[in-house]
Structures are given as C-alpha cells and as structure tokens.
Amino acid sequence: MKKTILILVAVLGFAAAASAQPKALGVRIGWGVDLTYQNYVGGSNFLEFDLGLDDGYKTSNFHVDGIYNFMIALPDWTSSGSWGFYGGPGASLAVWDNGDKDNVVYAGIIGNLGLEYTFNIPLQLFLDVRPRLMFGDGGVRGEGIFNFGLGICYSF
C-alpha cells in the first residue's frame, strides 16, 4: 500500500511540474510545413516536437522530429520583448516517396540552430536552420540536408 501511494504521489508531482512549464504551439515553414510544439524545461531550455510534410507538401512525405534545444544567449537588443539564440541535437523519423519504389522509412539525427523573438504578448517569431542526416533504404538521404525555416508560435 505504501508503494502504491508513493508511486501515485510521484506521478502526480511529475504531472504538476510538467504542466507548470511554459509551452508554445505554432507553424514552421521551410522545406515543407511543420506543426511545432515547444515545452520549456529547466529555465530557458526547451524540448521541441515537430510533425511535418516535406518536399512540396506531399502527403506521402512526412516526418516526426524531437529536438532538445539549449538557450545559447539571451541578448538585450530591445526594451520590449526578448531575443534568444538556441541550438541543440535531436532525432528524426521520416517516410518519403522515392518515386520508383513504395514509401521508404528513414531514421536519423537532426540539429537545430535558431534565433527567436518573443513579443510582450504571447507571440513568438523564429528563424532556424536544421541540418539532418537520414539513413534508410540502404543509404543516406541527400535531399533536404540543410532545412531553413521561418515560424510563428503562440506561447501559453
């Protein structure tokens, strides 16, 4: 009984801590279009999860990314709002149409380096580059290696 209560308290504590962290939901447009979700952990660092369509927004080409971003610098360039430089590593899983074959699953590593501006209202703009190295179908995927993107998020 004590273990059950201890586990229940731990789960509720972790859930309360996770729900107290700032979050953001938005759209990123680059090599494709992504729905992006950010969850801040440990100060200004944040986890970012993306679900997107690639290569001309074909529904047969999509990916799921998970990135842990470290806040590198918070320059004080303006009297209102806030700026931030961030970057971090992550993992990606993608399904792409190879033309002559059926859809092929790729897995790989991804990086992120970006600049964001958060207004005094719950609105954030960002510009980033995401190099990715994807493996699958007996080789390395060469398209979309350097993916530049522009995004907007609603912070809550």
Side-chain angles (χ1 to χ4, degrees):
M1 181 68 173
K2 288 181 184 179
K3 287 182 182 179
T4 305
I5 292 173
L6 182 62
I7 291 172
L8 182 59
V9 168
V11 167
L12 290 175
F14 288 130
S19 66
Q21 304 300 321
K23 298 168 182 56
L25 183 64
V27 176
R28 178 183 181 274
I29 299 174
W31 189 51
V33 63
D34 295 350
L35 179 62
T36 183
Y37 171 77
Q38 299 172 353
N39 188 12
Y40 288 81
V41 293
S44 56
N45 297 338
F46 60 96
L47 291 168
E48 184 172 352
F49 301 99
D50 298 310
L51 175 63
L53 299 175
D54 291 325
D55 192 20
Y57 315 110
K58 296 178 187 174
T59 56
S60 61
N61 298 342
F62 64 92
H63 68 269
V64 178
D65 298 334
I67 305 168
Y68 186 88
N69 287 299
F70 299 94
M71 193 57 68
I72 299 168
L74 295 166
D76 190 16
W77 289 338
T78 57
S79 59
S80 62
S82 61
W83 291 89
F85 284 110
Y86 59 88
S92 182
L93 183 65
V95 176
W96 285 316
D97 181 6
N98 277 356
D100 59 339
K101 298 181 181 179
D102 291 332
N103 291 345
V104 178
V105 176
Y106 289 86
I109 56 174
I110 187 170
N112 195 26
L113 186 61
L115 172 67
E116 68 180 18
Y117 178 75
T118 304
F119 294 90
N120 287 335
I121 58 175
L123 184 66
Q124 174 188 32
L125 296 176
F126 63 91
L127 177 66
D128 64 10
V129 60
R130 292 191 182 163
R132 66 176 70 220
L133 191 56
M134 303 298 286
F135 303 95
D137 194 29
V140 177
R141 173 110 175 157
E143 296 174 16
I145 290 177
F146 287 101
N147 180 0
F148 291 91
L150 176 66
I152 184 168
C153 285
Y154 171 73
S155 302
F156 55 95

